[in-house]
Structures are given as C-alpha cells and as structure tokens.
Amino acid sequence: MIVKVCGMRDAVNIREVERAGADWMGFICYERSPRFIDRVPEYFPQKVVRVGVFVNAAPEVCLRQAEALALHAVQLHGTESPDCCDGLRKSGLKVVKAFAIHRAEELQITEPYAGVCDYFLFDTPCLQYGGSGRSFDWSILEHYRGSTPFLLSGGIRPESMEALKAFRHPRWEGIDLNSGFESAPGMKDAQTLARFIAECKKTTSINPLNTSTL
C-alpha cells in the first residue's frame, strides 16, 4: 500500500515522518492553506516520492515549483482540465487528480481524465479546496469502474484502521493522511504515524510505489 502523508512543512518533522515509513510526502503549494509551504525546508526528504499539492495553478507555476522543490509528482485539487493534467504528465511529472465525491453518479467526472492521470484521489466534499478532515461513504467507490488506480483520502485517522482493513477495491492502491495525525497544522505525530503505517503494511497486500519507479 502507498502511504502518503500530506501537509508537511517543518524540517525536523519531515525527517521524523520519513523515518516513520511514509512512501509519499505532500507539500502544499496553495497559499490559502494553513499548511502552505513558502520555502524549501532545511531538510527535504530523500527516500520518499515528493508531491506538490496545487489548486488551479497555471501549469507554468506547477512546473516552476516542481523544479524548486525537486518534485516527482503533482496533486491537483481544483478544476484543472484533462488537457492541463496531460501537459504536466508529458513534462515528466506524475499526476494525481483529486475528486470530492458525494454520490455514486459523481464518479462520472473522472472519465475524461482516464489516460492523462497516473492516480486519482477520492476525498470528502467540502466548501473549501483541499481536505475537510472528514470521511465520506467509501461504499460509493464500489461504483468506480475506471482503470486509473486511486488513493483514498478524507478524515483517515488512527481509529480508521478497522475500516481500512475491511475496504476492498481492485484499483485501490493507497491512502492519503493529513489532519487525522496532527498535533497542529503541518505538524504530524510521527510515533502514531509509524505504528499506523506498520499496521497498514502488515494488513494489506498492495505493494508500495517508491521513487525508483518514478
């Protein structure tokens, strides 16, 4: 299973979370987020996939930040078009497109993005862009029949483990963790994360993607 930990900012905490076993690490490049990263931290992870999180940023902005932060991937949380995703992908970046899903019929919105994104991320609908810290009804994803693999997001926290163990889908390849493991915005409880990640790896048969495959 891919375990992505998002919203990282602090150099010491980044190192701790890297040691906790995260496969991917997300850095939010959206100025309205309390987890916005406005500079390169003194320590940047070396053993994880580095993902920049953007909201309706122009492709040239994404590419400029990708170079500055040495990103492997971008995660798009706005209304970015399939053409935008395709262009970023052709630049050599992996592309994760986020969708907030409330009802099964809303999964149709993913169809134009098939073939131009490497992953989808399914999250909880909310008024603002980005995550809400709340979970949604994962049974909706039984209706997802696309070929693009996805990450599960939205309010995952330590007590979500039993629900994760019970969840099944042939295209499910990972989880996205953020506020459910924080002591403050951008600061993760690395010890709790380490225990959770170890349990994820024990109880799932999905293989993690590492930087060598990117």
Side-chain angles (χ1 to χ4, degrees), residues 101-133:
I101 301 299
H102 184 259
R103 297 183 300 273
E105 53 266 30
E106 293 172 350
L107 290 165
Q108 294 177 359
I109 197 174
T110 66
E111 293 174 4
Y113 294 84
V116 298
C117 296
D118 297 278
Y119 292 87
F120 295 150
L121 182 145
F122 292 127
D123 203 351
T124 307
C126 57
L127 294 176
Q128 73 275 13
Y129 288 112
S132 67

Side-chain angles (χ1 to χ4, degrees), residues 158-172:
E159 52 268 33
S160 303
M161 180 56 68
E162 292 307 311
L164 287 171
K165 288 179 181 179
F167 183 73
R168 296 288 185 274
H169 194 287
R171 297 299 179 187
W172 178 42

Side-chain angles (χ1 to χ4, degrees), residues 2-213:
I2 299 165
V3 179
K4 174 178 172 282
V5 181
C6 200
M8 301 302 301
R9 296 185 61 191
D10 177 79
V12 172
N13 199 220
I14 288 169
R15 191 187 295 270
E16 292 173 339
V17 170
E18 183 179 35
R19 290 173 177 168
D23 300 301
W24 294 9
M25 202 173 289
F27 301 92
I28 297 179
C29 303
Y30 178 53
E31 293 183 358
R32 296 184 182 181
S33 170
R35 299 167 184 83
F36 172 59
I37 182 169
D38 57 358
R39 58 181 174 78
V40 178
E42 293 180 5
Y43 177 78
F44 225 42
Q46 305 302 309
K47 299 178 181 178
V48 303
V49 174
R50 295 184 292 274
V51 183
V53 179
F54 298 88
V55 178
N56 293 329
E60 57 268 25
V61 172
C62 296
L63 293 173
R64 188 163 60 245
Q65 283 294 88
E67 182 176 1
L69 298 175
L71 300 176
H72 302 102
V74 293
Q75 181 174 306
L76 307 177
H77 269 267
T79 57
E80 299 86 1
S81 69
D83 284 345
C84 174
C85 296
D86 191 37
L88 289 169
R89 196 171 185 231
K90 287 176 177 174
S91 76
L93 292 165
K94 296 293 182 182
V95 175
V96 182
K97 182 69 182 79
F99 297 97
I101 301 299
H102 184 259
R103 297 183 300 273
E105 53 266 30
E106 293 172 350
L107 290 165
Q108 294 177 359
I109 197 174
T110 66
E111 293 174 4
Y113 294 84
V116 298
C117 296
D118 297 278
Y119 292 87
F120 295 150
L121 182 145
F122 292 127
D123 203 351
T124 307
C126 57
L127 294 176
Q128 73 275 13
Y129 288 112
S132 67
R134 301 189 305 273
S135 61
F136 66 99
D137 181 2
W138 295 348
S139 67
I140 292 170
L141 298 179
E142 295 173 5
H143 301 276
Y144 174 62
R145 299 289 185 265
S147 60
T148 304
F150 68 86
L151 275 64
L152 191 60
S153 186
I156 299 175
R157 56 192 71 249
E159 52 268 33
S160 303
M161 180 56 68
E162 292 307 311
L164 287 171
K165 288 179 181 179
F167 183 73
R168 296 288 185 274
H169 194 287
R171 297 299 179 187
W172 178 42
E173 291 199 8
I175 55 176
D176 183 82
L177 309 177
N178 196 343
S179 60
F181 291 83
E182 285 187 335
S183 56
M187 292 297 296
K188 305 298 187 288
D189 182 336
Q191 290 185 341
T192 300
L193 266 174
R195 291 191 295 269
F196 190 85
I197 292 170
E199 187 68 14
C200 282
K201 302 298 185 182
K202 282 196 308 182
T203 58
T204 62
S205 60
I206 303 171
N207 294 322
L209 179 69
N210 56 44
T211 51
S212 65
T213 65

